[in-house]
Amino acid sequence: MSGIIFDIKRFAIHDGPGIRTSIFFKGCPLSCWWCHNPESCALGIQHVDFDFKGSRIIGKKMSSKELLKEIEKDRDFFEESGGGVTFTGGEPLLQSDFLQEVAALLKGADYHLALDTTAYASPQVFSKSVELMDLVLFDIKHMNEAKHFEYTGVSNKPIFKNLEYLIENDKPIHIRFPMIPGFNDDVIHLKLMTDYLKSLKKIERIHLLPYHKIAAGKYEKLGIENKMNGIEEPSENMIQEVKNYFLSRGFDVRIG
Ligand code: SF4
């Protein structure tokens, strides 16, 4: 089976334990205002015109065996560092059959597997896709459904349902929280979110991902409206305040 990948990053150190190879799946059902990888959102292979620099092809069709071969090149680093493979995107669950096939091949060869996901998928797709994962990096963007819809284009209901499935099934989870000024960084929202996470009893770590403007140029090149225009990156102080709040609620916090 083949899937569409838009990047492979080696020596990643923020996507799970140890040194990892991160596989970026193309396509995402969300359309977050702050997306750092807007080139990943559409599912198919794209030819994008970059003015005088010529055009670039975004996305590559790869078979599961080709992907396995690429990943095998990094095996020594995984063994030395306790690392492995992280599926990210985009949203890997949008190509769930391909994801499941690749995960089964890798698990057969004893790789540590992590899935970085929005968890926006049906319970059937989600449960089957996380079966072979050793760790789920789970994004939480906003607790309020209407706000979530406004800024991402989808409801958060299936996302929380899938989070609760992971809890019931004792899957290791790290929460990823994109800190977006004016959207989800106010005290009321942080309290609501941490109350919810506490009620689940098994969440220990939150990765705080502060908004940055790094992707602004990509929006221009892709001809996509950048809804974050005029919104500033959070200051070091603001980031520390949110970090300290999470710490005060008893979570282990990592930035980035
Ligand atoms: S979920 Fe991630 S990849 Fe998808 S639109 Fe949002 S930020 Fe971009």
PDB file of all heavy atoms in Angstrom, residues 212-231:
ATOM      1  N   HIS A 212       4.416  30.626  17.204  1.00  0.00           N
ATOM      2  CA  HIS A 212       5.424  31.494  16.595  1.00  0.00           C
ATOM      3  C   HIS A 212       5.067  31.745  15.139  1.00  0.00           C
ATOM      4  O   HIS A 212       4.303  31.010  14.531  1.00  0.00           O
ATOM      5  CB  HIS A 212       6.847  30.957  16.799  1.00  0.00           C
ATOM      6  CG  HIS A 212       7.066  29.584  16.266  1.00  0.00           C
ATOM      7  ND1 HIS A 212       7.222  29.333  14.935  1.00  0.00           N
ATOM      8  CD2 HIS A 212       7.141  28.388  16.895  1.00  0.00           C
ATOM      9  CE1 HIS A 212       7.401  28.041  14.773  1.00  0.00           C
ATOM     10  NE2 HIS A 212       7.351  27.450  15.934  1.00  0.00           N
ATOM     11  N   LYS A 213       5.669  32.818  14.625  1.00  0.00           N
ATOM     12  CA  LYS A 213       5.263  33.299  13.297  1.00  0.00           C
ATOM     13  C   LYS A 213       6.067  32.669  12.164  1.00  0.00           C
ATOM     14  O   LYS A 213       5.996  33.159  11.041  1.00  0.00           O
ATOM     15  CB  LYS A 213       5.487  34.816  13.235  1.00  0.00           C
ATOM     16  CG  LYS A 213       4.570  35.627  14.109  1.00  0.00           C
ATOM     17  CD  LYS A 213       4.992  37.068  13.944  1.00  0.00           C
ATOM     18  CE  LYS A 213       3.977  38.015  14.514  1.00  0.00           C
ATOM     19  NZ  LYS A 213       4.372  39.399  14.278  1.00  0.00           N
ATOM     20  N   ILE A 214       6.774  31.637  12.468  1.00  0.00           N
ATOM     21  CA  ILE A 214       7.724  31.077  11.507  1.00  0.00           C
ATOM     22  C   ILE A 214       7.097  30.757  10.141  1.00  0.00           C
ATOM     23  O   ILE A 214       7.763  30.828   9.109  1.00  0.00           O
ATOM     24  CB  ILE A 214       8.395  29.827  12.135  1.00  0.00           C
ATOM     25  CG1 ILE A 214       9.695  29.505  11.423  1.00  0.00           C
ATOM     26  CG2 ILE A 214       7.476  28.640  12.188  1.00  0.00           C
ATOM     27  CD1 ILE A 214      10.584  28.554  12.208  1.00  0.00           C
ATOM     28  N   ALA A 215       5.784  30.442  10.153  1.00  0.00           N
ATOM     29  CA  ALA A 215       5.163  29.984   8.899  1.00  0.00           C
ATOM     30  C   ALA A 215       4.543  31.112   8.074  1.00  0.00           C
ATOM     31  O   ALA A 215       4.001  30.858   6.993  1.00  0.00           O
ATOM     32  CB  ALA A 215       4.083  28.941   9.217  1.00  0.00           C
ATOM     33  N   ALA A 216       4.642  32.357   8.566  1.00  0.00           N
ATOM     34  CA  ALA A 216       3.944  33.453   7.880  1.00  0.00           C
ATOM     35  C   ALA A 216       4.295  33.513   6.389  1.00  0.00           C
ATOM     36  O   ALA A 216       3.418  33.687   5.533  1.00  0.00           O
ATOM     37  CB  ALA A 216       4.259  34.772   8.572  1.00  0.00           C
ATOM     38  N   GLY A 217       5.578  33.347   6.079  1.00  0.00           N
ATOM     39  CA  GLY A 217       6.019  33.409   4.680  1.00  0.00           C
ATOM     40  C   GLY A 217       5.387  32.324   3.820  1.00  0.00           C
ATOM     41  O   GLY A 217       5.107  32.528   2.631  1.00  0.00           O
ATOM     42  N   LYS A 218       5.152  31.152   4.436  1.00  0.00           N
ATOM     43  CA  LYS A 218       4.573  30.031   3.674  1.00  0.00           C
ATOM     44  C   LYS A 218       3.166  30.378   3.205  1.00  0.00           C
ATOM     45  O   LYS A 218       2.764  30.024   2.106  1.00  0.00           O
ATOM     46  CB  LYS A 218       4.494  28.780   4.553  1.00  0.00           C
ATOM     47  CG  LYS A 218       5.813  28.138   4.894  1.00  0.00           C
ATOM     48  CD  LYS A 218       5.513  26.788   5.549  1.00  0.00           C
ATOM     49  CE  LYS A 218       6.697  26.192   6.269  1.00  0.00           C
ATOM     50  NZ  LYS A 218       6.322  24.999   7.037  1.00  0.00           N
ATOM     51  N   TYR A 219       2.404  31.072   4.074  1.00  0.00           N
ATOM     52  CA  TYR A 219       1.028  31.432   3.707  1.00  0.00           C
ATOM     53  C   TYR A 219       1.028  32.307   2.459  1.00  0.00           C
ATOM     54  O   TYR A 219       0.225  32.127   1.551  1.00  0.00           O
ATOM     55  CB  TYR A 219       0.340  32.159   4.869  1.00  0.00           C
ATOM     56  CG  TYR A 219      -0.164  31.209   5.937  1.00  0.00           C
ATOM     57  CD1 TYR A 219       0.673  30.736   6.934  1.00  0.00           C
ATOM     58  CD2 TYR A 219      -1.479  30.742   5.921  1.00  0.00           C
ATOM     59  CE1 TYR A 219       0.228  29.843   7.896  1.00  0.00           C
ATOM     60  CE2 TYR A 219      -1.941  29.857   6.883  1.00  0.00           C
ATOM     61  CZ  TYR A 219      -1.083  29.413   7.865  1.00  0.00           C
ATOM     62  OH  TYR A 219      -1.537  28.526   8.810  1.00  0.00           O
ATOM     63  N   GLU A 220       1.982  33.244   2.467  1.00  0.00           N
ATOM     64  CA  GLU A 220       2.080  34.156   1.336  1.00  0.00           C
ATOM     65  C   GLU A 220       2.376  33.376   0.065  1.00  0.00           C
ATOM     66  O   GLU A 220       1.715  33.534  -0.961  1.00  0.00           O
ATOM     67  CB  GLU A 220       3.209  35.135   1.621  1.00  0.00           C
ATOM     68  CG  GLU A 220       2.927  36.539   1.134  1.00  0.00           C
ATOM     69  CD  GLU A 220       4.008  37.462   1.618  1.00  0.00           C
ATOM     70  OE1 GLU A 220       4.014  37.762   2.839  1.00  0.00           O
ATOM     71  OE2 GLU A 220       4.842  37.816   0.789  1.00  0.00           O
ATOM     72  N   LYS A 221       3.373  32.481   0.161  1.00  0.00           N
ATOM     73  CA  LYS A 221       3.777  31.719  -1.027  1.00  0.00           C
ATOM     74  C   LYS A 221       2.670  30.795  -1.517  1.00  0.00           C
ATOM     75  O   LYS A 221       2.510  30.576  -2.708  1.00  0.00           O
ATOM     76  CB  LYS A 221       5.031  30.914  -0.720  1.00  0.00           C
ATOM     77  CG  LYS A 221       6.276  31.778  -0.704  1.00  0.00           C
ATOM     78  CD  LYS A 221       7.473  30.999  -0.247  1.00  0.00           C
ATOM     79  CE  LYS A 221       8.655  31.938  -0.093  1.00  0.00           C
ATOM     80  NZ  LYS A 221       9.646  31.430   0.819  1.00  0.00           N
ATOM     81  N   LEU A 222       1.915  30.247  -0.578  1.00  0.00           N
ATOM     82  CA  LEU A 222       0.847  29.312  -0.968  1.00  0.00           C
ATOM     83  C   LEU A 222      -0.435  30.037  -1.370  1.00  0.00           C
ATOM     84  O   LEU A 222      -1.393  29.412  -1.831  1.00  0.00           O
ATOM     85  CB  LEU A 222       0.532  28.354   0.196  1.00  0.00           C
ATOM     86  CG  LEU A 222       1.615  27.329   0.539  1.00  0.00           C
ATOM     87  CD1 LEU A 222       1.385  26.749   1.924  1.00  0.00           C
ATOM     88  CD2 LEU A 222       1.655  26.205  -0.491  1.00  0.00           C
ATOM     89  N   GLY A 223      -0.461  31.357  -1.158  1.00  0.00           N
ATOM     90  CA  GLY A 223      -1.661  32.127  -1.499  1.00  0.00           C
ATOM     91  C   GLY A 223      -2.828  31.814  -0.580  1.00  0.00           C
ATOM     92  O   GLY A 223      -3.996  31.876  -0.983  1.00  0.00           O
ATOM     93  N   ILE A 224      -2.525  31.476   0.684  1.00  0.00           N
ATOM     94  CA  ILE A 224      -3.587  31.181   1.667  1.00  0.00           C
ATOM     95  C   ILE A 224      -3.678  32.364   2.623  1.00  0.00           C
ATOM     96  O   ILE A 224      -2.649  32.923   3.041  1.00  0.00           O
ATOM     97  CB  ILE A 224      -3.255  29.905   2.482  1.00  0.00           C
ATOM     98  CG1 ILE A 224      -3.015  28.709   1.561  1.00  0.00           C
ATOM     99  CG2 ILE A 224      -4.344  29.588   3.492  1.00  0.00           C
ATOM    100  CD1 ILE A 224      -2.501  27.469   2.303  1.00  0.00           C
ATOM    101  N   GLU A 225      -4.906  32.728   2.989  1.00  0.00           N
ATOM    102  CA  GLU A 225      -5.080  33.829   3.939  1.00  0.00           C
ATOM    103  C   GLU A 225      -4.456  33.451   5.295  1.00  0.00           C
ATOM    104  O   GLU A 225      -4.710  32.349   5.804  1.00  0.00           O
ATOM    105  CB  GLU A 225      -6.593  34.097   4.128  1.00  0.00           C
ATOM    106  CG  GLU A 225      -6.845  35.252   5.058  1.00  0.00           C
ATOM    107  CD  GLU A 225      -8.298  35.304   5.556  1.00  0.00           C
ATOM    108  OE1 GLU A 225      -9.094  34.421   5.189  1.00  0.00           O
ATOM    109  OE2 GLU A 225      -8.595  36.225   6.325  1.00  0.00           O
ATOM    110  N   ASN A 226      -3.666  34.346   5.841  1.00  0.00           N
ATOM    111  CA  ASN A 226      -3.085  34.104   7.163  1.00  0.00           C
ATOM    112  C   ASN A 226      -3.923  34.827   8.216  1.00  0.00           C
ATOM    113  O   ASN A 226      -3.805  36.029   8.415  1.00  0.00           O
ATOM    114  CB  ASN A 226      -1.634  34.591   7.200  1.00  0.00           C
ATOM    115  CG  ASN A 226      -0.975  34.287   8.525  1.00  0.00           C
ATOM    116  OD1 ASN A 226      -1.586  33.721   9.431  1.00  0.00           O
ATOM    117  ND2 ASN A 226       0.296  34.661   8.648  1.00  0.00           N
ATOM    118  N   LYS A 227      -4.772  34.049   8.909  1.00  0.00           N
ATOM    119  CA  LYS A 227      -5.693  34.658   9.874  1.00  0.00           C
ATOM    120  C   LYS A 227      -4.971  35.121  11.136  1.00  0.00           C
ATOM    121  O   LYS A 227      -5.574  35.756  11.988  1.00  0.00           O
ATOM    122  CB  LYS A 227      -6.799  33.663  10.236  1.00  0.00           C
ATOM    123  CG  LYS A 227      -7.712  33.357   9.061  1.00  0.00           C
ATOM    124  CD  LYS A 227      -8.838  32.449   9.506  1.00  0.00           C
ATOM    125  CE  LYS A 227      -9.776  32.154   8.364  1.00  0.00           C
ATOM    126  NZ  LYS A 227     -10.723  31.096   8.686  1.00  0.00           N
ATOM    127  N   MET A 228      -3.702  34.767  11.275  1.00  0.00           N
ATOM    128  CA  MET A 228      -2.942  35.183  12.460  1.00  0.00           C
ATOM    129  C   MET A 228      -2.221  36.506  12.228  1.00  0.00           C
ATOM    130  O   MET A 228      -1.486  36.956  13.115  1.00  0.00           O
ATOM    131  CB  MET A 228      -1.919  34.103  12.840  1.00  0.00           C
ATOM    132  CG  MET A 228      -2.530  32.800  13.285  1.00  0.00           C
ATOM    133  SD  MET A 228      -3.532  32.936  14.775  1.00  0.00           S
ATOM    134  CE  MET A 228      -2.273  32.983  16.041  1.00  0.00           C
ATOM    135  N   ASN A 229      -2.421  37.106  11.063  1.00  0.00           N
ATOM    136  CA  ASN A 229      -1.788  38.399  10.785  1.00  0.00           C
ATOM    137  C   ASN A 229      -2.106  39.383  11.897  1.00  0.00           C
ATOM    138  O   ASN A 229      -3.268  39.530  12.274  1.00  0.00           O
ATOM    139  CB  ASN A 229      -2.327  38.968   9.455  1.00  0.00           C
ATOM    140  CG  ASN A 229      -1.334  38.712   8.348  1.00  0.00           C
ATOM    141  OD1 ASN A 229      -0.155  38.475   8.610  1.00  0.00           O
ATOM    142  ND2 ASN A 229      -1.808  38.751   7.115  1.00  0.00           N
ATOM    143  N   GLY A 230      -1.088  40.017  12.444  1.00  0.00           N
ATOM    144  CA  GLY A 230      -1.313  41.020  13.495  1.00  0.00           C
ATOM    145  C   GLY A 230      -1.317  40.414  14.888  1.00  0.00           C
ATOM    146  O   GLY A 230      -1.362  41.153  15.866  1.00  0.00           O
ATOM    147  N   ILE A 231      -1.281  39.098  14.996  1.00  0.00           N
ATOM    148  CA  ILE A 231      -1.236  38.490  16.341  1.00  0.00           C
ATOM    149  C   ILE A 231       0.224  38.190  16.685  1.00  0.00           C
ATOM    150  O   ILE A 231       0.934  37.524  15.922  1.00  0.00           O
ATOM    151  CB  ILE A 231      -2.115  37.224  16.417  1.00  0.00           C
ATOM    152  CG1 ILE A 231      -3.561  37.638  16.157  1.00  0.00           C
ATOM    153  CG2 ILE A 231      -1.963  36.521  17.777  1.00  0.00           C
ATOM    154  CD1 ILE A 231      -4.555  36.534  16.080  1.00  0.00           C
TER     155      ILE A 231
END
